[in-house]
Amino acid sequence: EAGVTQFPSHSVIEKGQTVTLRCDPISGHDNLYWYRRVMGKEIKFLLHFVKESKQDESGMPNNRFLAERTGGTYSTLKVQPAELEDSGVYFCASSHPTGTSGRRRETQYFGPGTRLLVL
Amino acid sequence: LAKTTQPISMDSYEGQEVNITCSHNNIATNDYITWYQQFPSQGPRFIIQGYKTKVTNEVASLFIPADRKSSTLSLPRVSLSDTAVYYCLVGDMGTGGFKTIFGAGTRLFVKA
């Protein structure tokens, strides 16, 4: 079974440019998450899709970030325009919860991340 | 949200058993406890997950006391390749999935 894949693995752009990150989840996983770790900080949640719907986008830092998941398969995260503080590693994870309501368990499988550097 | 507290770092030698304890005093009734491992330049990798008592797989064991306010990840006979950051996570039961909250993790250094 193929794991979560992310593209590109690295991206170096100048301040003000646009970058689009892509995540391909494990086939059949309805849940897709984006996380980010800026240098020296902890991994932070950005947002969560259930299929094509945004379930929780409380972690999105500002309106320069736009995430989409058309068709409920792969997802993109666009940063426009990029700022210096957007530099970091962006992780995507997918999952398919199991269990009954009241006690649901979930294992999130992470991709390798995209390393973004804004100069 | 259930916050977790772990040691910042630990040292060990090859062949030893390593136990990393995590505190999660505010764990909710329906929350599971999950441990991830992360190597440099890679995404977090699932190790083990449990709800209570003891869980064992081919990689590790997870011990959870009855009050579930802490958990201990046990790595038997570590090798140099087990040097990594280990995260203890408690699920936040959002609708349809978990908004996983990462802490700083525990940096494990395994020496020859």
Side-chain angles (χ1 to χ4, degrees):
Chain A
E1 176 184 277
V4 177
T5 58
Q6 293 185 244
F7 182 84
S9 60
H10 296 80
S11 180
V12 181
I13 61 174
E14 292 185 339
K15 175 183 173 181
Q17 290 185 321
T18 298
V19 63
T20 301
L21 313 180
R22 172 171 170 145
C23 168
D24 285 81
I26 293 173
S27 178
H29 281 190
D30 290 341
N31 288 316
L32 188 149
Y33 302 81
W34 284 97
Y35 296 86
R36 175 176 77 167
R37 178 165 63 196
V38 297
M39 187 175 292
K41 302 290 187 181
E42 299 168 359
I43 299 173
K44 296 291 187 185
F45 167 86
L46 295 179
L47 88 159
H48 167 215
F49 284 98
V50 177
K51 297 184 180 179
E52 68 276 6
S53 300
K54 291 178 186 175
Q55 196 69 39
D56 181 352
E57 50 185 332
S58 60
M60 294 288 264
N62 51 62
N63 59 10
R64 295 185 294 102
F65 289 75
L66 175 63
E68 295 179 321
R69 194 184 182 193
T70 306
T73 54
Y74 72 90
S75 173
T76 58
L77 179 65
K78 180 191 289 187
V79 185
Q80 178 182 31
E83 298 290 342
L84 300 180
E85 64 265 25
D86 301 331
S87 296
V89 184
Y90 290 77
F91 294 105
C92 173
S94 73
S95 72
H96 184 72
T98 60
T100 59
S101 61
R103 189 191 296 176
R104 300 176 65 221
R105 61 189 302 172
E106 172 176 324
T107 300
Q108 294 185 19
Y109 295 90
F110 284 77
T114 293
R115 281 143 192 82
L116 174 64
L117 178 60
V118 183
L119 302 175
Chain B
L1 301 177
K3 178 176 163 52
T4 61
T5 303
Q6 309 172 228
I8 295 174
S9 68
M10 296 179 70
D11 283 355
S12 181
Y13 288 94
E14 281 190 294
Q16 289 187 327
E17 177 185 83
V18 171
N19 296 306
I20 306 175
T21 297
C22 176
S23 297
H24 28 79
N25 292 316
N26 297 323
I27 189 169
T29 301
N30 293 333
D31 284 346
Y32 274 82
I33 300 157
T34 309
W35 285 78
Y36 283 85
Q37 174 192 56
Q38 186 177 27
F39 299 112
S41 302
Q42 295 186 23
R45 183 176 75 101
F46 172 84
I47 301 176
I48 197 166
Q49 184 180 71
Y51 183 79
K52 62 180 179 181
T53 62
K54 176 183 175 182
V55 179
T56 297
N57 61 21
E58 65 277 6
V59 176
S61 294
L62 179 59
F63 299 91
I64 305 170
D67 65 6
R68 305 202 325 123
K69 293 184 183 297
S70 67
S71 59
T72 299
L73 173 72
S74 181
L75 304 173
R77 301 177 61 80
V78 294
S79 62
L80 296 177
S81 62
D82 292 319
T83 294
V85 179
Y86 293 82
Y87 294 99
C88 162
L89 308 170
V90 175
D92 173 29
M93 281 293 293
T95 302
F98 290 94
K99 183 169 78 173
T100 303
I101 308 298
F102 282 87
T106 297
R107 295 182 179 276
L108 173 66
F109 297 93
V110 180
K111 297 176 283 189

